[in-house]
Amino acid sequence: MELSVLRTAMPRAAKPAPKPVKSAASPKALKAPKAPALGPVGAYIKYHFRHFNAAALIDAAEGYRVFLEQGGQMMVTMGGAMSTAELGLSLAEMIRQDKVHLIVCTGANLEEDIFNLVAHDFYERVPHYRDLTPQDEKALLDRHMNRVTDTCIPEMEAMRRIEKAMLKVWMDADQKGKRFFPHEFFQQVLKSGALKKSYQIDPKNSWMLAALEKNVPIVVPGWEDSTLGNMFAAAVIRGEIKNVHTVRTGIEYMTWLADFYLQTTKKKPLGMFQIGGGISGDFPICVVPMLEQDLEMKNTPLWGYFCQISDSTTSYGSYSGAVPNEKITWGKLDVETPKFIVESDATIVAPLVFAYLLGW
């Protein structure tokens, strides 16, 4: 069946549109949802994705769309290796079209978007990675090719090139007694143009450049657990950085996030679209119970939408695999909050959801 025909094909009987979200936003400001403007990809998945995880994907995408139309803003969180999976191909456009208003990611996702930006042509794909012997892996190490599943990141062209640029801004701030968040140092390097001659992909496909362009805030909890975090520690040990707190900390990120959440939800509900598990999702969702329970700010608005793409297993006691209802017990979500979970591969699901929302 041609994709052009699918646009007019009868869609499956979908779930009713999510109810307007209870939040700080005035109910009078909420608009009734309208039919989505679907492109070929969106029309295809709308027609074919009818059950199980496929149906959950459509429901989550529709919930995201309706939430934005009703005046909500969305936080996207990224765990895993989504930047090396080149999620920027769709996420950057989501940012440019004002469908993402806050990004929370691991240190690896922060830096790997820039690694890909400057060293893409030196990456090597290893589709037969399951067949590699220990000796094969050692051969990759000897060539300074660091493997992430089926993709090898070149140390010299990616990591050491970025280290050189970052060391310059770290040392400059340290000598001046200034302190910045991890992502702010990256933005200083990008703004300086020091890496521009090394770009090897179309800059429009870098989500970091898109966030810089649109002034979308970024939060990076646990940045120390990253290649650049290790490099910063090495610079401190060598004595090149005198103040270990030249890079601002995760606690400071939380205090910033608390203010951002309070200011945003005075006018609009804030939703959460979680890609993968781990600290990138666990850290920001806790801002609500922190405000409500630890600071005793009663009637703090809860998250207005929640979706998680995860392959984690609930029965193992995995927090990342917990169904959204569990978060009600922690004071993070409300009974009526639109909640979705797609138990599948985020590298497949996230681009499809974004394509649906972008009209691709």
Side-chain angles (χ1 to χ4, degrees), residues 64-340:
Y64 194 135
R65 182 184 69 83
V66 170
F67 183 73
L68 294 185
E69 286 184 2
Q70 292 178 342
Q73 294 202 337
M74 191 67 74
M75 173 182 74
V76 170
T77 76
M78 286 187 288
M82 296 306 297
S83 288
T84 292
E86 298 190 68
L87 187 63
L89 290 164
S90 55
L91 178 58
E93 188 61 21
M94 287 283 289
I95 294 168
R96 282 190 292 270
Q97 291 196 22
D98 298 316
K99 298 183 188 299
V100 176
H101 306 92
L102 170 64
I103 295 171
V104 183
C105 69
T106 59
N109 276 301
L110 184 77
E111 65 193 13
E112 288 176 16
D113 182 74
I114 306 305
F115 293 167
N116 183 60
L117 177 66
V118 303
H120 181 271
D121 295 349
F122 295 97
Y123 278 55
E124 291 182 15
R125 187 161 176 265
V126 188
H128 58 285
Y129 67 91
R130 292 182 179 87
D131 301 325
L132 295 178
T133 66
Q135 291 73 26
D136 294 332
E137 304 280 20
K138 179 62 165 56
L140 290 173
L141 170 65
D142 291 342
R143 293 174 50 224
H144 301 278
M145 298 299 291
N146 303 118
R147 186 169 69 83
V148 181
T149 310
D150 71 344
T151 303
C152 292
I153 302 175
E155 178 186 336
M156 305 312 295
E157 292 81 6
M159 300 169 182
R160 296 303 170 188
R161 179 175 291 167
I162 301 304
E163 179 188 31
K164 182 178 179 181
M166 293 294 285
L167 191 58
K168 183 176 180 180
V169 293
W170 287 338
M171 292 177 66
D172 181 66
D174 190 61
Q175 290 165 7
K176 294 177 180 177
K178 295 183 178 180
R179 304 175 62 243
F180 299 98
F181 282 120
H183 75 277
E184 292 176 319
F185 280 114
F186 275 94
Q187 291 175 334
Q188 289 173 24
V189 171
L190 292 174
K191 287 178 181 178
S192 74
L195 299 175
K196 199 164 187 179
K197 64 178 184 290
S198 300
Y199 289 178
Q200 294 188 348
I201 64 169
D202 190 328
K204 74 176 185 180
N205 294 327
S206 164
W207 70 261
M208 281 281 290
L209 284 174
L212 180 60
E213 173 191 341
K214 295 292 291 186
N215 198 30
V216 171
I218 301 173
V219 170
V220 193
W223 170 77
E224 298 83 356
D225 180 23
S226 67
T227 299
L228 267 295
N230 294 162
M231 291 172 173
F232 181 80
V236 172
I237 294 169
R238 289 193 302 264
E240 294 169 326
I241 305 294
K242 306 301 180 185
N243 180 9
V244 71
H245 295 300
T246 292
V247 176
R248 296 179 66 182
T249 68
I251 296 300
E252 291 172 281
Y253 264 132
M254 179 57 84
T255 60
W256 178 92
L257 181 59
D259 182 67
F260 176 88
Y261 190 90
L262 289 171
Q263 295 304 317
T264 299
T265 55
K266 281 180 181 179
K267 301 177 181 179
K268 302 176 179 181
L270 190 61
M272 177 173 175
F273 187 82
Q274 181 177 347
I275 303 172
I279 194 172
S280 58
D282 300 345
F283 181 89
I285 198 172
C286 289
V287 72
V288 173
M290 189 268 286
L291 290 169
E292 176 82 14
Q293 300 170 20
D294 301 323
L295 288 173
E296 299 184 350
M297 293 184 178
K298 299 305 178 185
N299 300 314
T300 300
L302 303 184
W303 294 96
Y305 164 103
F306 178 81
C307 174
Q308 180 177 343
I309 306 168
S310 175
D311 59 3
S312 186
T313 305
T314 307
S315 62
Y316 293 158
S318 164
Y319 183 84
S320 297
V323 296
N325 279 355
E326 184 175 300
K327 293 171 174 57
I328 296 173
T329 72
W330 291 86
K332 299 167 183 175
L333 303 179
D334 193 7
V335 171
E336 296 184 3
T337 302
K339 309 173 194 67
F340 309 92

Side-chain angles (χ1 to χ4, degrees), residues 22-39:
K22 286 186 176 181
S23 72
S26 169
K28 294 181 180 179
L30 300 178
K31 301 176 182 178
K34 57 185 180 182
L38 299 178

